[in-house]
Amino acid sequence: MSSRFEFPLVLPIVIVLLGIGRPAIAETYTPGEPIDQDYAELAEPFLANYCVDCHGESDPEGDLSLEGLGPVDAINASAWTSVWAQVSLKQMPPPDMTQPEVIERLKFSDWIVSELTREMQDKGGFHAHRDPNKGNFLDHELLFGSLPEGIKLEPTSSPARIWRVTPQEHITRLNELINTEPEFDPAKPGLRTHGDVVPTNHGGELKLYFGTDRIIKWQGGTVAYATSVKSVPVVLSSARNHGLENYPDFYTVNSAEATQIMGIANDIIRYMANGPLSIAEPYQITDDPESIADKMKGDLRGLPTSLVYSTKTLRPMTPVYNLMKDDDITAESMRAAVDFLFEALTFRPPSDEESNAYLAILEQSIEKLGTKDGSVLGLSSIFLDRDALFRPELAAAGKPDEHGRVMLQDWELGLAVNHALCYLKPNPELRRAIIEGRMRTRSDVEREVVRMLGDDSIRKPRILRFFRDYFDYDLGGYICKDTKALGETGVNSKGVAHYNAMFDATASTDRLIELILQEDTDVLRQLLTTDKVVAGKADTTYFGKQRSREEIAASVAAEKAAAKKAALARAERQKANPDEKLRDKKPATKKNKVNHAVTEVELNGPQIFARVSRRSFGRGSMKPERTLATVPEGERLGILTHPSWLVSHSDAMDNHAIRRGRWIQERLIGGAIPDVPITVDAMLPDEPRTPLRERMRVTREDYCWTCHQKMDPLGLPFEMYNHAGLYRETEYGEPVDTSGEIIDSGDPKLDGKVANAIEMIQKLAESERAEQVFVRHAFRFWMGRNETLHDAPVLQDAYRAYKKSNGSMKTLLVSLLTSDAFLYRTRPDAVLTDAK
């Protein structure tokens, strides 16, 4: 009897001990954690199970054999990089093959990254996984969906780091030292204001100009004026010219740049002290140019002495001026100059040690070189201070929490908030909060961010910079166009007219974005679907329609008929009144010649202003006046159909459907494209007078189509515009094929064929996935790094905040800038035992 009752109790124990019928214990994994397994334990079985069937020794797919690949080393690093990309993007193994579990795939991908990082450490390093273009390699569904059981997330943070200032913010803070920008005028909100970024000039150059607001006369034309004006180009280089740039890893300061900065510092300090007298003769400073006519004789064009400056002081008067205004200097005036310049360049007051160190340099320089030259040399050294070129987020103060994270505080936290929005030093309220110890908590950050976002007079050019980086609409003026090909589009191809129009278009698009941000409702959707345009003079052509051959012929015939009719009428009147002097309109000249190639559009509406550079090239300088107009219905929809974006995503001869399609794939759908293998000759056939769609047939070959199916069908709908951005219905006499398709987007509601770009944009604008991808890019820009799975709660919170606020960019920013990813840093030395 007893055995009958004991057996059921003993049997489970036996089963467990023997492993009979035991359920598998789910593997747990913390993404990014060190993996204590080598090639033989982890990678070799994965390749054998999922990869070598297609990538074996004989006839491997894509000519990539993984047979005997072996552990990661410098020789096979490129092959392993390709494996990492294919596995992360779920392109390997193919969808019709057995798939690894989520954790298995993540762990294998993380192992490759860690091995490549270790192996390439002293060979140039491995950085691909930190590139923002690779941010989408992380599965979108894992970030915004529910994670499978077994994945363990940790509270997020960002690494301790230093950020080099970008070229745009560096030139803006230097400009603050020598030029006085106007204060914000609510009645004219589009005009350039103190705190706005220094814009490029009408030639697309980013320069700092000395005293152009004081020039009242010059000799020669615009070119002569340009060569006479004192200016310096931006020195700090940008590692990228496309996409997100605000990543700390991208930037350094090399010796050549440091040397140039010292030279610029010399010019700036002398101008701070002496104004135009540092670059001009005393007689050139006058309010009556006629009084110096005797000194302005001869051909002075292009010479600094061809300029006349007013006597009115317009530059900021600072302690640097007080120090150098006479030879009698004091210790107080020297320290005041040092402390002022230090904070102007680093955005924080110096410590006693820093102040004393630079004061000693200044004193030694003055002792050796005298007051003037010594002051210039001594103060110039501050321009190369680490914090004048970099912004530290080292989290040196504070103790790590139980997760090894240290929260930024005081000046590091205050400057991080300031850097997130502004290019100039902290406003008085933020500065006061930092000094008084009120920048140490999440609520402190929220208080200051909300206040700054709500104050229009506090300029926030970093926000606009994000949209430039996200949309990439500011590149059109730098696309060097073939003159003949450009002329065939219908726009003015003479000289620099097209390029000037593109730089104007960038300023106009900037202003349109600012208007939508001002409304702050459904920001992404509005940007994608707005029917508004901020238009300049050339936009009646650029927003017009390229005529067909028949329409051109009809326009030419109509002009000839009108001219013939006018001539007959004139002859009749002349015959009837032989003594009367007729005053008919002059026949068409080069200035008023009819553009038969384009049906120009009327862009009417209220006047509006766009932010442009200060006067730099005399009459060639950009003008701020614009018109807020409505685009023709059915021809345009949102920024992606504006010439600024279309031309930015074109090339010298034609549209660039692949580049446009890749932008849609990465920035709205959240997909990613592996790098082109070095063995691929990525060139379309050279077939003049052949539509782009036809020449792109080569991308449909099996080897190419795996990637190109994610780009081409998304870019080809934009063939409804030519490569200058004009709307068109025909190409080479045939109707334009504008069809396309969204394939494997991850959202079944998005997938399907589209008739043209407008239909595709409308679908994407209504997509939650596109909004989530937009949030991912905002995260990357403001955190300065790619998202990880540990950031999933931050991204989900930010997206919920954006949706709940009806698409408010301000609310999205508050969520991101008060998140753990923004507030906390992980130091290499911050081990968990420190928190005890």
Side-chain angles (χ1 to χ4, degrees):
M1 289 288 295
S2 61
S3 61
R4 280 168 42 191
F5 292 101
E6 291 170 1
F7 181 75
L9 299 175
V10 174
L11 183 58
I13 299 175
V14 174
I15 291 175
V16 168
L17 290 175
L18 296 178
I20 302 173
R22 180 173 57 192
I25 300 175
E27 182 182 6
T28 61
Y29 181 59
T30 300
E33 70 179 2
I35 300 173
D36 189 23
Q37 290 178 279
D38 60 16
Y39 170 78
E41 294 174 293
L42 189 148
E44 193 170 30
F46 188 100
L47 295 174
N49 290 336
Y50 303 112
C51 305
V52 294
D53 282 352
C54 296
H55 297 276
E57 188 171 0
S58 61
D59 194 25
E61 290 286 339
D63 293 328
L64 175 64
S65 173
L66 303 178
E67 189 75 40
L69 179 61
V72 177
D73 57 35
I75 297 174
N76 63 22
S78 61
W80 274 111
T81 300
S82 179
V83 171
W84 164 69
Q86 297 289 333
V87 170
S88 298
L89 294 175
K90 296 184 178 179
Q91 292 186 358
M92 190 169 77
D96 57 347
M97 303 291 286
T98 302
Q99 298 295 311
E101 296 295 328
V102 172
I103 291 180
E104 190 178 7
R105 187 186 294 272
L106 282 175
K107 194 171 182 180
F108 180 61
S109 176
D110 286 348
W111 179 87
I112 297 175
V113 170
S114 65
E115 288 296 294
L116 284 169
T117 301
R118 177 189 58 78
E119 182 62 32
M120 302 301 292
Q121 185 173 7
D122 58 349
K123 304 176 183 66
F126 176 71
H127 308 287
H129 61 301
R130 291 199 289 266
D131 190 304
N133 289 339
K134 304 295 193 298
N136 290 351
F137 278 34
L138 180 57
D139 192 348
H140 187 85
E141 282 69 27
L142 292 180
L143 284 172
F144 288 92
S146 56
L147 290 173
E149 185 178 354
I151 293 182
K152 180 182 177 183
L153 298 185
E154 295 179 341
T156 189
S157 63
S158 293
R161 61 224 175 149
I162 59 174
W163 297 48
R164 202 208 72 184
V165 299
T166 64
Q168 295 80 16
E169 61 185 319
H170 187 241
I171 202 77
T172 301
R173 69 174 65 178
L174 295 184
N175 179 71
E176 180 79 353
L177 296 174
I178 64 170
N179 289 311
T180 301
E181 303 291 352
E183 293 302 316
F184 176 71
D185 182 356
K188 297 179 180 179
L191 290 178
R192 184 169 167 192
T193 300
H194 179 242
D196 287 330
V197 64
V198 172
T200 56
N201 61 29
H202 77 292
E205 300 168 302
L206 185 57
K207 284 187 173 182
L208 175 67
Y209 292 95
F210 292 78
T212 53
D213 49 354
R214 289 181 63 170
I215 296 174
I216 57 178
K217 188 175 181 179
W218 69 89
Q219 279 197 40
T222 293
V223 174
Y225 175 98
T227 55
S228 306
V229 170
K230 177 68 174 178
S231 66
V232 294
V234 65
V235 169
L236 297 181
S237 59
S238 177
R240 303 163 60 83
N241 63 358
H242 217 255
L244 300 185
E245 297 181 351
N246 197 32
Y247 273 39
D249 291 342
F250 289 160
Y251 301 107
T252 60
V253 179
N254 58 43
S255 59
E257 291 171 335
T259 301
Q260 291 181 71
I261 289 171
M262 283 295 286
I264 291 173
N266 185 304
D267 290 336
I268 288 176
I269 292 171
R270 292 186 186 278
Y271 191 85
M272 291 174 72
N274 303 314
L277 280 176
S278 66
I279 54 179
E281 298 295 332
Y283 66 81
Q284 294 175 248
I285 316 297
T286 177
D287 293 325
D288 182 13
E290 298 305 319
S291 67
I292 59 169
D294 60 318
K295 294 183 172 61
M296 307 294 286
K297 292 180 178 179
D299 188 359
L300 303 177
R301 292 176 299 176
L303 299 177
T305 49
S306 70
L307 304 175
V308 179
Y309 297 86
S310 74
T311 59
K312 185 178 181 181
T313 299
L314 297 176
R315 73 188 188 283
M317 304 305 290
T318 72
V320 174
Y321 167 78
N322 297 332
L323 172 68
M324 299 177 64
K325 64 182 177 181
D326 52 48
D327 292 331
D328 187 16
I329 62 173
T330 65
E332 291 76 13
S333 63
M334 285 191 291
R335 188 175 293 277
V338 164
D339 291 353
F340 164 80
L341 197 55
F342 186 94
E343 183 163 354
L345 292 170
T346 68
F347 292 1
R348 65 171 178 82
S351 65
D352 290 342
E353 292 79 6
E354 290 167 327
S355 181
N356 291 334
Y358 282 116
L359 180 61
I361 293 173
L362 178 59
E363 289 174 335
Q364 293 173 9
S365 299
I366 291 175
E367 181 180 352
K368 292 182 179 180
L369 301 176
T371 301
K372 305 299 183 184
D373 292 341
S375 295
V376 171
L377 181 61
L379 293 174
S380 293
S381 61
I382 304 175
F383 284 71
L384 291 179
D385 186 89
R386 182 200 69 177
D387 289 5
L389 300 173
F390 295 87
R391 183 177 56 80
E393 289 182 353
L394 300 175
K399 293 184 178 180
D401 64 9
E402 64 271 23
H403 304 287
R405 309 176 307 164
V406 183
M407 184 173 176
L408 298 175
Q409 59 181 304
D410 298 330
W411 278 104
E412 281 195 328
L413 183 55
L415 290 180
V417 169
N418 187 70
H419 172 269
L421 303 175
C422 302
Y423 281 173
L424 297 185
K425 64 183 180 181
N427 60 79
E429 291 87 346
L430 178 57
R431 188 181 190 277
R432 192 179 309 115
I434 298 170
I435 292 174
E436 294 175 358
R438 293 185 288 112
M439 283 301 290
R440 295 178 179 175
T441 68
R442 195 185 311 271
S443 60
D444 287 339
V445 173
E446 183 174 2
R447 178 195 68 237
E448 293 302 315
V449 170
V450 170
R451 178 184 62 80
M452 293 168 68
L453 288 173
D455 188 346
D456 287 337
S457 67
I458 298 175
R459 310 310 299 159
K460 297 168 278 286
R462 181 75 67 184
I463 300 177
L464 184 60
R465 187 70 213 180
F466 162 68
F467 285 99
R468 277 199 177 194
D469 286 5
Y470 176 71
F471 280 105
D472 290 325
Y473 60 81
D474 58 336
L475 306 176
Y478 306 102
I479 306 294
C480 186
K481 292 289 187 181
D482 176 82
T483 303
K484 182 181 179 182
L486 183 62
E488 291 177 350
T489 66
V491 305
N492 186 354
S493 60
K494 303 296 183 183
V496 295
H498 167 73
Y499 305 100
N500 290 350
M502 286 298 101
F503 293 123
D504 258 335
T506 296
S508 294
T509 305
D510 284 346
R511 188 70 188 111
L512 179 64
I513 290 173
E514 289 179 333
L515 292 174
I516 291 173
L517 288 174
Q518 184 177 336
E519 294 180 1
D520 203 30
T521 302
D522 278 333
V523 167
L524 177 63
R525 186 178 304 173
Q526 289 298 320
L527 291 169
L528 292 176
T529 62
T530 182
D531 63 354
K532 299 298 181 184
V533 58
V534 175
K537 290 182 178 180
D539 286 326
T540 55
T541 297
Y542 281 90
F543 279 88
K545 173 180 175 292
Q546 185 179 23
R547 287 172 170 160
S548 65
R549 293 173 181 172
E550 294 76 15
E551 290 170 327
I552 292 174
S555 177
V556 171
E559 183 187 33
K560 288 181 178 179
K564 183 177 180 179
K565 183 177 180 180
L568 289 173
R570 180 182 178 88
E572 289 294 328
R573 291 198 305 273
Q574 186 72 51
K575 183 177 180 181
N577 303 282
D579 298 328
E580 181 181 347
K581 186 176 182 181
L582 299 180
R583 299 181 181 276
D584 287 349
K585 290 183 179 179
K586 294 180 179 179
T589 63
K590 288 184 178 180
K591 288 186 178 181
N592 62 4
K593 185 177 180 181
V594 176
N595 185 351
H596 297 293
V598 177
T599 301
E600 295 190 345
V601 62
E602 291 188 10
L603 296 173
N604 301 318
Q607 186 183 61
I608 198 169
F609 300 99
R611 292 180 223 289
V612 299
S613 62
R614 66 169 48 244
R615 191 177 72 179
S616 55
F617 277 63
R619 286 180 291 273
S621 298
M622 298 172 72
K623 305 297 187 295
E625 292 81 10
R626 301 286 195 279
T627 300
L628 180 60
T630 302
V631 296
E633 186 177 358
E635 295 183 6
R636 309 277 176 173
L637 189 73
I639 287 178
L640 303 187
T641 65
H642 288 193
S644 59
W645 189 86
L646 294 166
V647 178
S648 292
H649 296 78
S650 69
D651 60 27
M653 304 293 294
D654 209 336
N655 289 328
H656 204 310
I658 298 170
R659 184 179 297 160
R660 292 173 180 175
R662 181 168 186 160
W663 190 96
I664 298 291
Q665 179 65 238
E666 293 179 342
R667 309 292 172 87
L668 292 177
I669 294 177
I673 311 297
D675 292 334
V676 178
I678 59 174
T679 57
V680 173
D681 182 16
M683 296 289 290
L684 299 181
D686 183 14
E687 297 172 350
R689 317 300 294 179
T690 302
L692 178 64
R693 184 183 290 266
E694 172 60 24
R695 290 189 290 121
M696 285 176 59
R697 65 185 180 275
V698 296
T699 67
R700 299 187 68 90
E701 296 176 3
D702 290 343
Y703 183 67
C704 306
W705 190 240
T706 300
C707 291
H708 276 274
Q709 68 177 336
K710 296 182 177 182
M711 300 181 288
D712 298 7
L714 299 174
L716 286 168
F718 290 96
E719 287 300 283
M720 60 193 294
Y721 310 99
N722 66 28
H723 66 99
L726 278 70
Y727 175 73
R728 66 180 179 181
E729 295 176 340
T730 63
E731 181 183 19
Y732 303 130
E734 299 294 331
V736 176
D737 184 354
T738 62
S739 62
E741 187 176 6
I742 302 175
I743 301 172
D744 294 334
S745 67
D747 181 358
K749 292 181 292 186
L750 272 179
D751 292 346
K753 296 184 181 300
V754 294
N756 52 39
I758 290 179
E759 182 180 324
M760 182 174 66
I761 290 170
Q762 287 171 328
K763 292 183 69 172
L764 290 166
E766 297 296 324
S767 166
E768 285 192 350
R769 185 181 181 94
E771 289 180 333
Q772 291 169 349
V773 175
F774 173 74
V775 170
R776 291 182 69 173
H777 282 82
F779 176 96
R780 292 173 203 169
F781 181 86
W782 271 282
M783 304 304 145
R785 63 174 177 83
N786 288 347
E787 60 272 38
T788 70
L789 268 184
H790 302 293
D791 297 308
V794 171
L795 289 163
Q796 292 174 20
D797 286 346
Y799 176 61
R800 279 192 293 268
Y802 181 76
K803 289 295 288 183
K804 188 176 180 180
S805 62
N806 295 318
S808 165
M809 191 68 194
K810 291 179 181 177
T811 302
L812 172 60
L813 279 173
V814 171
S815 179
L816 289 174
L817 299 183
T818 56
S819 70
D820 284 7
F822 183 83
L823 298 176
Y824 284 91
R825 298 293 173 268
T826 302
R827 301 194 314 247
D829 63 326
V831 295
L832 296 183
T833 54
D834 291 344
K836 297 179 181 179

